[in-house]
Amino acid sequence: MDFPILSSLILLPTIGAFFIFFVKSSNKTYQASKYIALFIAIANFIISLYLWYEFDNSTSEFQFTENRVWIKNFINYKVGVDGISILFILLTTFVSTICIITVNYTVSTRLKDFLIAILLMESLMIGVFCSLDLVIFYLFFEGGLIPMFLIIGIWGGKRRVYSAFKFFLYTLLGSVLMLIAIISIYWFSGTTDIEKLYSIGIEAKYQNLLWLAFFSSFAVKTPMWPVHTWLPDAHVEAPTAGSVLLAAILLKMAGYGFIRFSLGLFPLASDYFVPLIYFLSLVAIIYTSLVALMQEDIKKLIAYSSVAHMGFVTLGIFTMTQQGLEGSIFQMISHGLISAALFLCVGIIYERTHTRLINQYGGLVSIMPKYAVLFMIFTLGALGLPGTTGFIGEFLILLGIFKKNIIVATIASIGVVLGAAYMLWMYKRIIFGKIVNENLKELMDVKKVELFLLCCLAFPVIFFGFYPEPLINTIEVSIQNLLDIYNFNLASYQAKTLYD
Amino acid sequence: MEYAILFLPLLASIISGFFGKIIGDRFSELITSLLVSISAILSIIIFYQVLANGYENNLIVTTWLNSGSLNVNWSIKIDTLSSVMLLVVTFISALVHIYSIGYMSNDPHKPRFMAYLSLFTFSMLTLVTSDNFLQLFFGWEGVGLCSYFLIGFWYKKDSANSAAIKAFLVNRVGDFGFALGIFLIFYLFGNINYTEVFNQIPIIKEQEISILGIKFNAINLICTLLFIGAMGKSAQILLHTWLPDAMEGPTPVSALIHAATMVTAGVFLVVRCSPIFEYSEFALSLVTVVGMITAIFAASVALVQNDIKKIIAYSTCSQLGYMFFAAGVGAYNVAMFHLFTHAFFKALLFLGSGSVIHAFKDEQDITKMGGVWKKLPYTYAFMVIGTLALTGFPFLSGYYSKDAIIEFAYLRGNAAGYWAATIGVFTALLTSIYSWRLIFKTFHGNYNNKNLEITNIHESSPVILIPLFILSIGAISSGFIFKDLFIGYEKTYIFWRDSILFLEPLSKDHPPNWFIFLTPALVLLSIPLSYYLFLKNIKITEELVNMNKPIYNFLKNKWYFDELYEFTLINPAKKIGLFFWKKIDLAFIDRFGPDGISNLIKNFSFKAVKFQSGFIYQYAFVMLIGFSLFLTLLIIN
């Protein structure tokens, strides 16, 4: 047992939050809090990079595992990472750092509390991605709701309370069912340790019900159609950093959950429910793309596009093919970066003009040329242009799904055309054309810190678009192993029913 | 050397795009032109090596994507086909770069413009030097993106922005087919590298794929899907609507992207995939038919347009149709030959029209020109050379390539071939008429421009005329010089080697003599005819138009394709989007979902409050009812 690197990743932000809590609040500018938060976030990001560096991608075993007894014979605090989860941890620490910088220079009311919320959130998110015990997972998973609820509720826009409650109501409803499922798994199997559960498996007759219970929680968080309506509202009301966290990390917990639990624990049920997932994903892709086309609010448009992109992710996961699954994880990472950047972009102009309505803009390119370039990069990423990460994800997913079902692949590909339509149309209306709105003439181009943040996000989007090897290598073996187990389970069950 | 050819334009683009402000307009113009010119010279060397020594190479730059059995590299593949394309792309691009220095001299965003041009060149080069379908797709979308940027270059013009988006989206529709084609290839072969795929094609000749219970031949399906992609990029009928609108971009862009290089990518794709298309009789017929219809459709529309650039755009569309039906009848080498010669004379025509537009201070309507041939002697001469080459005037480049297409179509010997040949001849006549109409209306007759005095019309500067001069040499001689190499009976196979697969050897026969002389005769005849119609006796033309108003309007409005799409696709999509949002998301899901539940709970708790009224007799009454229900249950059990 070496140095508990995962626990320190989880704990460090919490400790930071604790410190900030006790820093003297008489200081109006919150200098100390800002520096502590920034330092902690960067330190955590560096640790997670080190984790990635040390990570052995030739094995599918869980690595850096820690196992401590929490409640004897009941719950163990068990954490570890494999190829599936490590990239999400990196994404979390990276995006959290970005968020903290954003908050530092934009938020002025109750900044201290905001920083605490983000740091706590970071702890919980990392916890979600490395917990190897169902109960621990549930605690982290649901815990993440609370800081987000507060961020929307306190620093949000006019309808913040409505949005916060809608967000809470939706996500809680799903979670309750998941909790019941976890309890019943404990009664059936006598353990909530994920590794053990993988090896003993879950009896076939319970799988469908349990799968549905988990599904109800993940579907809300993804979000899948028709439980997606909380997302546009939450995004619209959330402050910029809140939107970034929500889009970049919170949504990814569900995709991760689908891979880790739905596929891992309930292979038979996953197989059984494939048509349902395909149907809902396709609706999400086509339906929300069309809805996005007609949006007048930039944030809502991007929120709807998130639903469409996550539709690709769920589609890819349930192809149960190497390309589909790798594509899904890639797409989640890519969407994490791109949507984070897009929300930052919206935040930048919102802060200057205090409007998010598309028709209030136009002609920004002549006033904010640098902004126009950066915004273009992320627009192109979002519409899946080759050379950006968005393309690799979508391409692999569609490649995977084509193997399984040609019709589904064809319909999903229409979404790619629509994606280009709504993104470019939005871009055109905001950036190009003549300046109609006189107020815009005074706008200044991106500040240095904004430029820095957007470049930080643009770099991986382009780099991994041209050279995705480092990411794909990391996940390759774990995905292969997951698929082997999945196929083995399916085959042995079929053999057993034949024998019976 | 291959690296230099490919990456010098990229370097140019980066320098000019990111450091344009620092290094200044003039320097960024010079550096981009210089680097692309070097790339062009190197391409000529490569072409010579391929020609003389049979040089072939497949460089792997680095891996791109590895996932399961999918294995894709960034590569530079040099064979005859790609070396021809390299030559065309870099050569025309270098000339257009130089021309732009003059043409864009009054524009405030020169470095950005040059950066886009160079970036386009780079994307186009990655497209042609790919050794797999994914990199091809990368270049494919990359050139589409640059085209999007350049069409919308004058971003303050709303029409330019709309045209840019239209171009991107229509191309995306084509790419949708293309991508599905790639997925299908991966599905069948587990691989998307040319060599592996092409080697396995004969094995799966008979394989069928069942979709919704209908069985399709796998190869037919692949070819059809890939061809949809080609149709989008090469503006073939149904997916052609973006090309005329793309003329909103600056004229050098039209010359480079929308005439000489990008739009020919579709033809390149079909030729590159000749090892697949050769096995699909169905797809080849489809290619022929689509090419044929586009050729005649676009020519018919070009007859009545008044915008000088739109006429040439439709002409491009029509010539691309020729290339496709050459490929469709199995004469891939002839298609490439026409692509090659077309690049010269069409770029010449566009750049020449740019010079005219420049002289008229951004006027594009040919009815507002006329009578200026003495004022613009060089431009006039170059435009006439371009027109002669395009119409297939004997011994100029178009004569060799276009007539060869018509002859090969005839020699194919099947129904599609004869049809293609007939339509080919007829379209050649139309081409000639509309081209001469353009020349006569622009340069001859009376001066018709009210906004500008004729004395203010001046010939363009040398930096514009020199590229025109070089291109006109190409337009005159490229057919004559390269005829034997590209389409000669013996040399063809030696020259193209493995880059094109001919399942059936090309026919060695000659069509009958009357057929060979038919096209040139019509072309020659059309000159006096157009002179008579459009210059000498305009009344006849006007009467003709008045007599056939419906047909005229039909042509004038481009067969109403835009209106049809607006009505059947764009408006419904918007309406459905609005319906989903307002009616389903807000009025249904939200109303009965979260809002419904919270209302329900609120109402319920209001009701529950009423129960606690505080009157004992009410409590007693409820208790009594409860008790009696309980008793009843007990008794029943």
Side-chain angles (χ1 to χ4, degrees), chain A residues 127-140:
Chain A
V128 166
F129 293 125
C130 59
S131 46
L132 290 181
D133 187 286
L134 280 176
V135 178
I136 302 283
F137 170 79
Y138 182 80
L139 290 177
F140 283 129

Side-chain angles (χ1 to χ4, degrees), chain B residues 133 157 168 214 269 280 304 355 464 481 486 508 527 529:
Chain B
F133 283 98
K157 266 166 75 184
F168 198 90
I214 307 164
L269 173 70
S280 169
V304 299
S355 178
I464 287 185
I481 296 174
F486 277 66
K508 283 196 173 179
I527 304 175
L529 180 71

Side-chain angles (χ1 to χ4, degrees), chain B residues 547-565:
Chain B
M547 270 160 58
N548 300 303
K549 208 69 185 172
I551 298 178
Y552 176 76
N553 283 337
F554 183 65
L555 294 180
K556 184 87 185 164
N557 289 304
K558 310 141 197 169
W559 294 28
Y560 294 106
F561 268 107
D562 282 324
E563 287 76 7
L564 184 73
Y565 288 158

Side-chain angles (χ1 to χ4, degrees), chain A residues 166 229 287 304 323 326 433, chain B residues 64 67 155 172 585 590 595:
Chain A
K166 199 171 177 183
T229 58
Y287 174 107
Y304 274 109
Q323 284 83 23
E326 284 178 10
Chain B
W64 183 8
S67 169
Y155 53 81
R172 265 267 157 138
D585 261 20
D590 271 1
D595 296 354

Side-chain angles (χ1 to χ4, degrees), chain A residues 384-410:
Chain A
L385 189 88
T388 64
T389 48
F391 170 71
I392 307 278
E394 271 174 16
F395 181 78
L396 286 176
I397 290 170
L398 290 171
L399 212 57
I401 189 73
F402 198 92
K403 267 189 194 169
K404 292 282 166 167
N405 192 326
I406 295 178
I407 304 291
V408 173
T410 310

